[in-house]
Amino acid sequence: MNSVHPLLSIKNLEIDYPSRDGHGRVTAVKGLNLALGQGEIGCLLGSSGCGKSTVLRAICGFEPIKTGEIQLRDIVVSSQSTHIPPNQRRVGMVFQDFALFPHLNVLENIAFGLQHLPNNQRTSLAMEWLQRVSLTDKADAYPHELSGGQQQRVALARAMAPEPDLILLDEPFSSLDIELRERLASEMRDILKANNITALLVTHDQYEAFAIADKIGVMTEGKVIQWDAPYELYHKPASRYVADFIGRGIFIKGIVQPNNKIMIEIGELEIDKDHAKDIGKEIDVLLRADDIQHDDRSPMQAEVVRKIFRGADFLYTLKLASGIEIFAYVPSHHDHAVGEKIGIQLVADHVVTFDP
Ligand code: ADP
Ligand code: MG
C-alpha cells in the first residue's frame, strides 16, 4: 500500500447548509479528517443525521465545501477556492436505492457509463463486469426482474465498469432484508478486494461495517471521532462514546489495585494501561457481553432479567447482587428462564477503563 500519498485524504472538512428558518446556516460537517489508501475499504459509521451522506456528496463533487480540503491522489479536488466538477474526479457512486435505469436491461445499465468507448468494446467490457459480479445469466433481465441483492450487484458493476479511482456507497444494504445484509456485505468486500478497488461506504449498522471495512470512522455531529481498524475500535475505543456505540457493553465501577489490576464486583481484571498513580481510586470499566462466560458450576451467581434468542447464542441481561445489569452471550443450548440465577465467570483479559 502506498502510504506516501493516500488515495483519498480529507482534512478539516467543514460543510454547512442554509438553516430551515432561512436565517443563517447550520453546520453539517465540522472538522472531519480521514485518509484512505489505494485498495482499502473505509466506512463511515454513525447514526442518522450525523453528516455521512453530506461527506460522500462532497467527495463526488455534488456539495460545495466551506473550509478544509478533499484530495484525490495528489490533486486537491475541493477546497475553499477549488471545485473540480464531478465528472472529472474519477469517483463512482452507488446510491442507497441503487438508482438503476428501469427501462434498460442489466447489460445496458452496466454499459451506460462507457459511452466513450466504441460499441463492441462497451458490450464486452460490460459483459466482463457482469461476470465479475456473477450475473452473466441476467444480462437481458430488467431491474424489476431481479432480487434486491442482484440489483445491488448490478449497481456496483455499473459504478465499477468505468474504472473510477474510488467508489462511494451510501447505505448500500439498508433497503435489503436484515438477514441478507451481512452476507452481501462480505460478498461485496470480496468483489472490491478481487478488483483492488478503493471504496468508502457509509452505514449506521456496525455489523455491516465490521463485515466489509478495513477502516471504520465513527462519526458523530459531523466529525470522525475515531478512525481505526474494526478490531482496534472494539478493543481500544478511544472515548466513552465509541466504547458505548460499538459492541454490547456497560460501564461498571472498579477500584484500582497494585500491578495494574482492577477489582470489580465480580472479580479482578487486568487494565490495558498503566494506572500505578491511581491505586485505590474508583474508575469506570467497560464490560462487554463477551467478557462474561456462563458456567453452571461457578459459585458467582447472577439473575436472568432478559434474554434475546440469536440462533447460536442468547444475549442475556443479568443482574448482579448489587443490582447492576450486565450482558452475556451464552450458547443457546443453555436455555435458562427469566428470574433464574445462573453461574457466571469473568473471562476478560485486558479491559478498557475511563475516568469516572
Ligand atoms: P446522514 O447521512 O448521516 O444521515 P446527512 O449528511 O444527510 O446525514 O445530514 C447531515 C445534517 O445536514 C442533517 O442535520 C441534515 O438535516 C442536514 N442536511 C442534509 N442535507 C441538507 C440540505 N440539502 N439542506 C439543509 N440541511 C441538510
Ligand atoms: Mg445519509
Side-chain angles (χ1 to χ4, degrees):
M1 200 166 298
N2 182 354
S3 55
V4 183
H5 263 303
L7 185 106
L8 167 70
S9 142
I10 301 182
K11 288 181 196 129
N12 280 317
L13 183 66
E14 202 167 314
I15 299 171
D16 61 8
Y17 292 112
S19 61
R20 301 228 187 276
D21 61 11
H23 304 284
R25 307 191 55 92
V26 287
T27 308
V29 176
K30 42 186 156 199
L32 181 131
N33 293 283
L34 66 85
L36 200 60
Q38 164 69 47
E40 272 188 319
I41 303 174
C43 179
L44 294 174
L45 172 66
S47 39
S48 175
C50 72
K52 304 182 295 294
S53 296
T54 302
V55 174
L56 289 198
R57 286 201 303 273
I59 298 169
C60 274
F62 296 136
E63 201 72 68
I65 75 171
K66 188 180 171 205
T67 53
E69 189 175 280
I70 301 175
Q71 202 169 326
L72 283 166
R73 300 206 185 278
D74 46 4
I75 298 164
V76 175
V77 292
S78 289
S79 73
Q80 224 167 346
S81 55
T82 319
H83 186 85
I84 307 260
N87 60 359
Q88 288 171 28
R89 294 190 179 206
R90 300 186 50 81
V91 173
M93 178 98 175
V94 177
F95 295 93
Q96 194 161 346
D97 55 3
F98 316 136
L100 297 177
F101 304 114
H103 58 290
L104 298 183
N105 70 25
V106 165
L107 192 68
E108 292 161 344
N109 260 281
I110 296 174
F112 186 82
L114 305 172
Q115 322 244 358
H116 55 288
L117 297 176
N119 260 342
N120 58 338
Q121 274 184 46
R122 276 180 77 188
T123 307
S124 66
L125 191 57
M127 277 309 287
E128 208 177 289
W129 278 101
L130 256 189
Q131 198 176 355
R132 291 189 194 180
V133 296
S134 316
L135 283 175
T136 341
D137 55 327
K138 298 288 182 196
D140 302 324
Y142 284 85
H144 73 270
E145 298 173 295
L146 304 178
S147 71
Q150 289 169 335
Q151 288 183 32
Q152 185 190 51
R153 279 185 283 165
V154 176
L156 187 60
R158 185 179 62 180
M160 293 194 296
E163 304 196 331
D165 290 336
L166 175 68
I167 294 240
L168 305 176
L169 305 117
D170 195 347
E171 309 252 4
F173 309 102
S174 62
S175 62
L176 304 172
D177 289 347
I178 235 159
E179 312 87 71
L180 262 180
R181 288 185 195 169
E182 242 170 277
R183 203 191 78 217
L184 287 176
S186 80
E187 220 177 84
M188 184 180 279
R189 180 182 165 85
D190 293 343
I191 296 171
L192 293 170
K193 287 289 172 192
N195 295 284
N196 193 28
I197 287 166
T198 314
L200 181 67
L201 78 149
V202 310
T203 178
H204 60 271
D205 181 332
Q206 56 179 295
Y207 298 102
E208 234 168 75
F210 287 161
I212 195 167
D214 300 310
K215 294 269 178 65
I216 297 174
V218 177
M219 260 189 94
T220 177
E221 294 175 357
K223 262 197 268 308
V224 167
I225 53 172
Q226 190 172 355
W227 176 254
D228 241 329
Y231 184 93
E232 301 291 313
L233 275 185
Y234 191 84
H235 291 286
K236 291 179 186 152
S239 60
R240 263 172 199 270
Y241 185 91
V242 173
D244 208 34
F245 190 77
I246 301 283
R248 186 77 72 150
I250 54 118
F251 291 102
I252 188 168
K253 298 269 179 224
I255 305 288
V256 179
Q257 312 288 310
N259 304 321
N260 291 323
K261 295 252 167 41
I262 188 157
M263 184 60 84
I264 62 170
E265 182 180 345
I266 48 175
E268 203 173 54
L269 292 162
E270 257 175 72
I271 314 180
D272 69 335
K273 50 191 180 212
D274 186 35
H275 272 286
K277 62 179 191 341
D278 297 325
I279 293 170
K281 280 194 193 152
E282 199 178 70
I283 206 162
D284 289 342
V285 180
L286 173 66
L287 205 59
R288 286 244 170 77
D290 42 331
D291 297 332
I292 305 289
Q293 210 165 57
H294 164 51
D295 179 353
D296 282 318
R297 288 156 308 184
S298 171
M300 182 88 60
Q301 301 276 305
E303 183 189 325
V304 179
V305 289
R306 225 168 296 125
K307 60 194 245 204
I308 299 171
F309 182 63
R310 310 189 330 145
D313 54 26
F314 280 110
L315 174 66
Y316 278 90
T317 305
L318 301 170
K319 189 154 79 179
L320 303 180
S322 63
I324 287 172
E325 292 182 0
I326 60 173
F327 296 112
Y329 294 126
V330 174
S332 65
H333 55 270
H334 286 271
D335 189 5
H336 294 284
V338 170
E340 201 178 323
K341 288 210 159 129
I342 66 170
I344 54 164
Q345 209 168 299
L346 262 181
V347 289
D349 41 5
H350 289 257
V351 288
V352 178
T353 55
F354 293 94
D355 290 331

